[in-house]
Amino acid sequence: MNYQLELDKLINELQKKQTDAAYHVPRLLLHSCCAPCSSYVLEYLSQYFAITVLYYNPNIFPEEEYRKRVEEQKRLIEALNEEKSGYKIDIIEGDYQPESFLELVKGYELCPEGGERCKLCFRQRLEATASLAKSQGFDYFATTLTVSPLKNATVLNELGLALAEEYDVSYLVSDFKKKNGYKTSIELSKKYDLYRQDYCGCAFSKAERELQKQKNAD
């Protein structure tokens, strides 16, 4: 499936309805992994959806890193809302429970980045998003994770669609790296002076990144 093409089709349908006086702006619960990745996605989708960002990332290590990232997310949303170029964006900060992530990935600690450990992490965050979207009456849920060239959009969308069926709430398919999405996120990160981390988030990805930097230095 061409996920970006499917999203384009849906947005085209929404645009046709926007002039209707009885038009209901669809509500989207958008899981965000970080401010830089969300920048393009929020600028793009806030033209068509009333977005609430769910910042739920129990994988992030250490806590100081988590706090830094979530504050950057809030700062970006405030800046975008001040510009008023789309529908207002809200944010919900999920519970920071790193122990839940560590328990989930027991036995997968040595998996390489992008392997089974990451799939478990994706599912944990997407499932929390689907559950909240259902309980709070959102029309769709989605994730910013597909904007990264290091994340497998097929894996993410297959998880999202499976959870949509399980929780009976629509999943917004995406491949946000398409249409220069990742490139635009870098440009927006510069515009808003966003902190850009150099590892995905968990202790294992941090260790892998440090090892790679050491090899490069040698």
Side-chain angles (χ1 to χ4, degrees):
M1 182 186 295
N2 185 323
Y3 298 109
Q4 184 57 48
L5 181 60
E6 292 303 309
L7 178 56
D8 288 342
K9 289 178 182 177
L10 173 61
I11 286 175
N12 286 338
E13 289 302 313
L14 293 177
Q15 286 179 302
K16 291 176 185 176
K17 297 175 183 177
Q18 280 181 325
T19 56
D20 190 332
Y23 176 68
H24 161 73
V25 180
R27 296 175 65 223
L28 168 66
L29 185 64
L30 177 68
H31 164 263
S32 174
C33 56
C34 64
C37 284
S38 73
S39 58
Y40 163 73
V41 180
L42 290 173
E43 185 180 72
Y44 171 37
L45 293 184
S46 64
Q47 307 301 313
Y48 315 106
F49 299 89
I51 301 173
T52 296
V53 168
L54 174 61
Y55 195 86
Y56 174 69
N57 297 291
N59 57 309
I60 295 176
F61 173 86
E63 184 172 351
E64 292 81 2
E65 178 74 16
Y66 172 87
R67 299 298 168 197
K68 190 171 185 177
R69 294 192 194 190
V70 75
E71 288 307 314
E72 283 294 88
Q73 182 70 74
K74 292 174 182 177
R75 186 170 69 83
L76 172 64
I77 290 172
E78 184 178 350
L80 292 173
N81 282 335
E82 285 178 357
E83 292 178 3
K84 297 181 179 178
S85 60
Y87 294 111
K88 184 176 182 292
I89 303 164
D90 294 314
I91 183 168
I92 297 171
E93 182 181 352
D95 293 332
Y96 179 55
Q97 298 173 325
E99 65 278 3
S100 68
F101 166 74
L102 292 173
E103 181 64 29
L104 178 71
V105 300
K106 266 187 180 177
Y108 295 91
E109 292 89 345
L110 299 180
C111 285
E113 192 75 6
E116 289 302 313
R117 185 185 67 242
C118 292
K119 290 180 185 178
L120 290 169
C121 182
F122 295 159
R123 181 180 172 86
Q124 181 184 34
R125 291 182 282 172
L126 279 169
E127 184 165 17
T129 311
S131 177
L132 188 61
K134 177 62 178 178
S135 67
Q136 295 198 9
F138 283 86
D139 299 295
Y140 298 92
F141 74 101
T143 180
T144 63
L145 285 164
T146 65
V147 79
S148 170
L150 300 177
K151 302 293 187 290
N152 188 315
T154 298
V155 169
L156 287 160
N157 282 292
E158 287 177 351
L159 282 169
L161 290 168
L163 288 164
E165 189 170 332
E166 184 176 339
Y167 283 87
D168 190 28
V169 59
S170 296
Y171 174 71
L172 196 70
V173 297
S174 69
D175 193 353
F176 292 124
K177 68 179 71 64
K178 299 290 182 64
K179 300 172 73 171
N180 288 319
Y182 180 66
K183 179 183 176 183
T184 304
S185 74
I186 294 174
E187 294 168 355
L188 289 170
S189 293
K190 292 177 181 176
K191 174 182 176 180
Y192 295 106
D193 192 25
L194 297 176
Y195 163 64
R196 290 181 64 85
Q197 61 278 0
D198 66 353
Y199 67 102
C200 180
C202 71
F204 315 111
S205 66
K206 181 176 175 62
E208 191 172 323
R209 175 59 178 159
E210 291 300 323
L211 182 61
Q212 186 61 51
K213 286 196 290 187
Q214 185 178 347
K215 287 181 179 178
N216 292 341
D218 294 340

